[in-house]
Amino acid sequence: GNSVTQMEGPVTLSEEAFLTINCTYTATGYPSLFWYVQYPGEGLQLLLKATKADDKGSNKGFEATYRKETTSFHLEKGSVQVSDSAVYFCALSLSYGGSQGNLIFGKGTKLSVKP
Amino acid sequence: NAGVTQTPKFQVLKTGQSMTLQCAQDMNHEYMSWYRQDPGMGLRLIHYSVGAGITDQGEVPNGYNVSRSTTEDFPLRLLSAAPSQTSVYFCASSYSSRVVAFFGQGTRLTVV
């Protein structure tokens, strides 16, 4: 079936450290891929997206590249800030069939950034 | 530009009670969905709709009903609340299968 696997958290980093959160997926067809962020007490917000192979999504210093050959969409940031502390979700959306428009999520990775 | 609006934000129910979680969007999106978020589980799809009058089950539909009489509204009904339904519920809408979903702020439901 279709699924998303994220690295287990929590991840604790010092401010200005490099961040990588791994995400791999299994899907039939050609999914779109997303990273969402959830700050404490809030709903999910889109962080970035990619809709086809080799696309790179970027926003607020975060980047992720859609790698079809490795079925991966790893999230990276060169220098994290305390304000980046949140839970990050990788997700995919299928483009055909009855599940169109619905997201399949990973379990989330909690990031804590210390000053 | 309200986006996706969920009400209420918080609710406590007793086991066996029924209630409706409201979701409305003002973006004329065809696709609407309900997800529940539980610790360590990520978000799981409960029900979804691809347009007015059309609904279907997601991954965890048991204990929940939905209807879609208008494009704007997609209420989620709990028929007889159980403690296992204690969760945070998110409504989302999209205008295309390849376009990002917009999420509401969530409803935190506790069943005692």
Side-chain angles (χ1 to χ4, degrees):
Chain A
N2 304 299
S3 65
V4 174
T5 302
Q6 289 182 238
M7 63 186 285
E8 297 272 335
V11 174
T12 302
L13 295 174
S14 297
E15 206 164 23
E16 299 184 3
F18 185 85
L19 168 71
T20 300
I21 300 178
N22 291 338
C23 171
T24 57
Y25 68 90
T26 301
T28 50
Y30 304 96
S32 296
L33 301 173
F34 306 90
W35 277 101
Y36 285 85
V37 58
Q38 186 179 30
Y39 298 104
E42 298 185 10
L44 279 76
Q45 304 174 25
L46 173 69
L47 182 59
L48 52 85
K49 66 178 175 70
T51 57
K52 61 182 187 299
D54 299 325
D55 269 2
K56 177 185 281 189
S58 61
N59 186 26
K60 298 181 181 179
F62 291 89
E63 291 184 342
T65 301
Y66 189 144
R67 301 284 188 202
K68 190 168 183 291
E69 63 277 13
T70 56
T71 62
S72 64
F73 193 55
H74 305 321
L75 182 68
E76 296 181 338
K77 186 174 186 183
S79 176
V80 294
Q81 306 300 313
V82 172
S83 57
D84 294 326
S85 297
V87 181
Y88 292 82
F89 292 92
C90 186
L92 68 82
S93 174
L94 298 170
S95 60
Y96 66 95
S99 297
Q100 278 184 318
N102 296 310
L103 292 161
I104 297 170
F105 285 89
K107 293 184 178 181
T109 302
K110 183 175 182 180
L111 170 66
S112 295
V113 181
K114 306 299 184 187
Chain B
N1 51 347
V4 180
T5 302
Q6 288 183 238
T7 55
K9 286 188 170 51
F10 302 93
Q11 183 71 48
V12 178
L13 287 179
K14 293 182 179 178
T15 297
Q17 284 185 317
S18 63
M19 80 159 294
T20 300
L21 308 186
Q22 302 290 345
C23 176
Q25 53 93 5
D26 60 359
M27 297 171 283
N28 203 33
H29 287 171
E30 292 294 327
Y31 301 95
M32 295 186 74
S33 307
W34 277 101
Y35 296 85
R36 59 177 288 172
Q37 183 181 31
D38 300 297
M41 300 289 290
L43 280 80
R44 292 180 292 168
L45 181 65
I46 304 171
H47 284 285
Y48 65 97
S49 170
V50 299
I54 306 170
T55 64
D56 208 343
Q57 296 181 351
E59 181 185 355
V60 289
N62 293 340
Y64 307 95
N65 275 1
V66 292
S67 60
R68 184 95 179 269
S69 57
T70 67
T71 300
E72 295 77 20
D73 299 300
F74 191 45
L76 178 72
R77 298 184 187 84
L78 282 71
L79 304 176
S80 178
S84 61
Q85 294 178 304
T86 294
S87 188
V88 181
Y89 292 85
F90 289 99
C91 179
S93 73
S94 309
Y95 59 83
S96 157
S97 60
R98 279 195 172 268
V99 178
V100 173
F102 293 79
F103 284 86
Q105 291 297 303
T107 296
R108 183 174 293 276
L109 175 67
T110 302
V111 183
V112 298

